[in-house]
Amino acid sequence: MVTAAIQTPEAPRVTGASLDIEDVSHGFELDGSVLEVLDDVSLHVAPGEFVALLGPSGCGKSTLLRLIAGLEPPTRGKLSEAGRPIAGPNPSRVVVFQDPTLFPWRTVRRNVAVGPEAQGTLKQSQQRIDEALALVGLTKFAKAYPHQLSGGMAQRVALARALVNDPDVLILDEPLGKLDSLTRITMQAELVSLWRREGFTAILVTHDVEEALFLANRVVVFSDRPARVKADIPVDLPYPRHRGDPRLAELRRQVLGLLGLDADW
Amino acid sequence: MTMSDIPSPSQGHASAPHLTLADVVPAVPRPLVDVVGLVAGIAWLAVVAAALALEDVGDWPRTPTFAAAAGLVAATFIVLAIGSRWLGAASRWLDRAALWLIVLGLFFTLWQLASAKLGWLPLPFFPPPQALLEVYLDDFPRLGVSILASVKLQLWGYSIGAVAGFLTGVSIGWSQRAAYWVHPVLRFIGPLPAGAWLPIAFFAFPSSWSAGIFLIALATGFPVTVLTWSGILSVNPAYYDVARTLGARSRFLVLKVAIPAALPHVFVGLFMALGTSFSVLVVAELLGVKAGLGFYMQAAQGWGDYANLYAALLVLALLCSGAVSLLFAARDRFLSWQKDLVTW
Ligand SMILES: Nc1ncnc2c1ncn2[C@@H]1O[C@H](COP(=O)(O)OP(=O)(O)O)[C@@H](O)[C@H]1O
Ligand SMILES: [Mg+2]
């Protein structure tokens, strides 16, 4: 299996890792009964692919991401990254959550440094930390504290904190969900160019159909809870994409239909 | 300067159509004399006058010293008020504090008259200010030893209690097993006022000094434990998720996530503990420990030396207030990342 290109220590990875989700079901114990959240979900993501997950709110998308991150084991089924079973969290798979969840007692730079610090590689990583800050355009705010940042800036810091680990898989759980629409459009473009440059595998949950179609190679649509895969739609359009592209509008209609919104608009 | 010297705005800016805020509201030059500061100086001259003008109704050898000290204070205020243009920071302080200083001057004048000169206040229970001054000047060795003893006892007790409380709080917040064993003990013994241990402590410990440390540590430990514990429990679980996906193990999670996140709570506990530990300190010294300000006050009351009592009380107030200031300074340092800190 061809997964990651052979790495040299300095050169950034060119290819992300593959993800295999096989027959995964998951439930939560709630007041003695079990709440089924994922129902027999199978999904295969190729190295370097950008997959967007869409589905009704509360159907289990975030839960699936937590399983991929290794934060919880699934009730049934198997998850693996690059052919190796996922047994726990690993900095090769980093999550950017809807809330930036920065540590308020750390400066921006020290927030970005959390990964290397936790992994014991802080000394070697100084330059990478600065690069990650530069990548999201926050070099000037290195010494600021989180409460001094706007929502968009905080989310950028969260992105830098993830990217500094040079992840094989970037897991994005509605990362732009709380931003105003202008910041959001800017950050969507930034995300695409980051992904194209760094080559990681990206898996994005969003509630915004346009965002999914603008960013992803593939859009996976889930059913109501318990979530099962309802449709898996390839988006074969070259990057950079244009929001006005008629083919995007056509796909948008198709996806909205799958989500139960058969509007003519 | 008379009114006619002040250029009216229309004249002054007739040729300057583009007004900025600075043109419209010119920086007010500091007045030649800080009038309120001057009044403060005069209020303190009244203290001097009250001390010197009338005969004392009792025997207070330090009356002239007191008058001289008040005179020095008055002179300082007057100099600062007159030189307010040149004396910078000190004069600005006078400007801010002036109203309080006036009130204090009037208070001392009244106190002087009511106790030493007119005998309105019953003696020996309400001695005049020069009697307190006499204590500070002539009984300083004994008072100084007492201050040192109190500070030492408080420092040891508070530090031991704070460290023990912090460690206990972190352990029971983090480990289910520690919580299983410690929680019932904490619930049963924690709310008991530390003073209730007093009789037991004084015979169970080898010295009244170690008993005092135990009591203060106990009074400090409980609030610090509870607040640290609740701080650890209220840490946003998303912080742990983020740290774990970035490769953090439990050591990092405790030391670099849980503890810093709980620190604001810990400081609340430390502040609460400071109050209770002071009251335990004084009670312990009043009732058993044979040193310290509490002991000094107890002895003073026994001998009817009320001036000594007030003098020691004043020192105690300064020490407590100083300790709170120190804790605030420590908090500002450790929690500088928080916005909207209360200032002290
Ligand atoms: N830790 C948990 N315990 C119990 N129920 C949970 C837990 N996490 C999520 N759920 C439930 O699982 C369902 C799916 O949640 P989630 O995956 O967050 O949905 P979404 O697709 O909106 O991201 C919801 O009904 C939620 O209430
Ligand atoms: Mg979600």
Side-chain angles (χ1 to χ4, degrees):
Chain A
M1 199 176 185
V2 192
T3 51
I6 299 158
Q7 285 171 250
T8 55
E10 280 85 12
R13 226 163 296 226
V14 226
T15 320
S18 65
L19 268 182
D20 296 292
I21 300 160
E22 280 171 77
D23 308 323
V24 165
S25 298
H26 196 71
F28 290 108
E29 196 98 22
L30 267 185
D31 305 326
S33 67
V34 176
L35 179 75
E36 292 295 341
V37 175
L38 296 176
D39 181 18
D40 216 9
V41 173
S42 291
L43 197 64
H44 299 275
V45 181
E49 209 175 2
F50 199 134
V51 177
L53 312 182
L54 282 170
S57 147
C59 75
K61 305 176 298 289
S62 296
T63 306
L64 182 61
L65 293 193
R66 287 180 66 83
L67 299 184
I68 296 172
L71 288 168
E72 279 168 64
T75 316
R76 281 185 305 282
K78 266 187 11 198
L79 294 110
S80 39
E81 178 200 356
R84 289 181 302 274
I86 293 173
N90 188 303
S92 70
R93 282 170 272 119
V94 223
V95 193
V96 178
F97 295 95
Q98 179 169 15
D99 289 309
T101 353
L102 303 178
F103 298 126
W105 55 89
R106 285 175 172 249
T107 58
V108 164
R109 192 174 191 286
R110 295 200 59 232
N111 262 290
V112 175
V114 164
E117 199 176 321
Q119 296 154 41
T121 59
L122 190 56
K123 277 223 181 76
Q124 309 80 293
S125 307
Q126 295 302 326
Q127 196 189 338
R128 247 205 97 66
I129 293 166
D130 290 327
E131 285 167 9
L133 272 174
L135 208 58
V136 296
L138 285 177
T139 305
K140 274 195 185 148
F141 289 86
K143 290 202 174 114
Y145 280 96
H147 74 82
Q148 298 166 313
L149 305 179
S150 71
M153 286 156 81
Q155 201 52 281
R156 279 205 182 86
V157 178
L159 202 58
R161 178 176 65 182
L163 293 174
V164 79
N165 300 287
D166 208 350
D168 297 332
V169 180
L170 187 63
I171 302 169
L172 303 152
D173 192 352
E174 304 193 28
L176 312 181
K178 283 190 175 168
L179 303 181
D180 63 275
S181 54
L182 270 178
T183 314
R184 205 160 149 158
I185 288 171
T186 324
M187 285 198 62
Q188 284 168 357
E190 285 173 20
L191 212 52
V192 170
S193 63
L194 273 174
W195 166 67
R196 299 215 313 160
R197 183 156 19 137
E198 306 274 312
F200 47 75
T201 304
I203 181 145
L204 166 83
V205 164
T206 174
H207 54 245
D208 180 344
V209 177
E210 265 119 279
E211 180 172 290
L213 293 170
F214 182 70
L215 295 174
N217 299 127
R218 247 170 92 196
V219 173
V220 177
V221 181
F222 286 103
S223 70
D224 257 322
R225 193 185 62 230
R228 11 166 98 251
V229 177
K230 204 169 173 184
D232 193 331
I233 302 159
V235 186
D236 278 327
L237 296 177
Y239 296 91
R241 292 175 180 167
H242 300 283
R243 283 167 210 278
D245 194 323
R247 284 168 297 179
L248 281 183
E250 175 50 38
L251 282 166
R252 175 167 171 269
R253 245 163 49 87
Q254 187 187 346
V255 172
L256 282 173
L258 282 163
L259 288 167
L261 297 164
D262 304 289
D264 297 313
W265 29 275
Chain B
M1 190 149 150
T2 61
M3 280 309 284
S4 57
D5 294 334
I6 303 171
S8 77
S10 55
Q11 288 170 347
H13 297 287
S15 57
H18 300 295
L19 294 185
T20 67
L21 194 62
D23 296 320
V24 183
V25 188
V28 183
R30 289 187 68 81
L32 207 51
V33 173
D34 175 1
V35 178
V36 193
L38 206 58
V39 175
I42 292 166
W44 280 79
L45 283 179
V47 180
V48 180
L52 295 181
L54 298 169
E55 280 298 308
D56 285 347
V57 297
D59 175 29
W60 292 294
R62 289 296 187 175
T63 302
T65 323
F66 174 74
L72 197 66
V73 171
T76 310
F77 291 169
I78 289 168
V79 167
L80 286 178
I82 291 175
S84 76
R85 279 221 179 151
W86 304 279
L87 293 174
S91 292
R92 274 197 297 281
W93 171 81
L94 178 72
D95 200 24
R96 269 202 317 273
L99 294 178
W100 262 108
L101 298 173
I102 294 171
V103 169
L104 276 178
L106 295 178
F107 171 75
F108 271 104
T109 309
L110 213 67
W111 180 12
Q112 181 62 228
L113 291 174
S115 61
K117 307 300 179 184
L118 304 171
W120 291 344
L121 295 174
L123 290 168
F125 306 106
F126 298 101
Q130 51 265 50
L132 269 68
L133 188 64
E134 188 182 334
V135 174
Y136 290 131
L137 293 174
D138 300 343
D139 199 26
F140 188 73
R142 226 159 56 83
L143 191 61
V145 167
S146 302
I147 294 173
L148 271 185
S150 283
V151 168
K152 228 170 98 184
L153 190 62
Q154 171 70 17
L155 266 183
W156 273 107
Y158 187 77
S159 313
I160 292 174
V163 170
F166 176 73
L167 294 178
T168 315
V170 171
S171 331
I172 61 181
W174 190 257
S175 145
Q176 296 275 330
R177 191 179 311 174
Y180 176 83
W181 289 110
V182 177
H183 185 208
V185 180
L186 202 65
R187 274 183 72 162
F188 184 63
I189 292 178
L192 191 66
W197 290 93
L198 216 86
I200 305 169
F202 281 125
F203 71 72
F205 277 83
S207 62
S208 63
W209 158 259
S210 53
I213 290 183
F214 167 76
L215 292 171
I216 295 169
L218 205 63
T220 307
F222 179 59
V224 175
T225 303
V226 172
L227 267 297
T228 305
W229 178 33
S230 82
I232 299 270
L233 289 187
S234 63
V235 175
N236 180 358
Y239 288 157
Y240 297 129
D241 287 345
V242 166
R244 285 173 62 211
T245 61
L246 294 172
R249 313 246 163 226
S250 24
R251 196 184 141 80
F252 188 95
L253 294 182
V254 177
L255 296 180
K256 307 230 167 154
V257 180
I259 289 178
L263 221 47
H265 280 79
V266 175
F267 269 99
V268 174
L270 288 172
F271 277 109
M272 287 169 57
L274 203 55
T276 49
S277 69
F278 277 135
S279 63
V280 173
L281 169 79
V282 174
V283 170
E285 286 180 349
L286 286 175
L287 295 182
V289 181
K290 297 271 175 282
L293 285 167
F295 175 68
Y296 183 94
M297 284 159 68
Q298 169 82 352
Q301 201 219 7
W303 291 103
D305 295 333
Y306 288 91
N308 297 58
L309 185 63
Y310 291 115
L313 196 63
L314 212 62
V315 172
L316 199 59
L318 285 176
L319 285 180
C320 295
S321 170
V324 174
S325 303
L326 270 181
L327 195 55
F328 264 103
R331 183 207 60 167
D332 290 349
R333 208 183 131 67
F334 278 104
L335 301 185
S336 57
W337 50 270
Q338 278 193 318
K339 49 179 175 179
D340 309 330
L341 284 181
V342 176
T343 54
W344 169 247

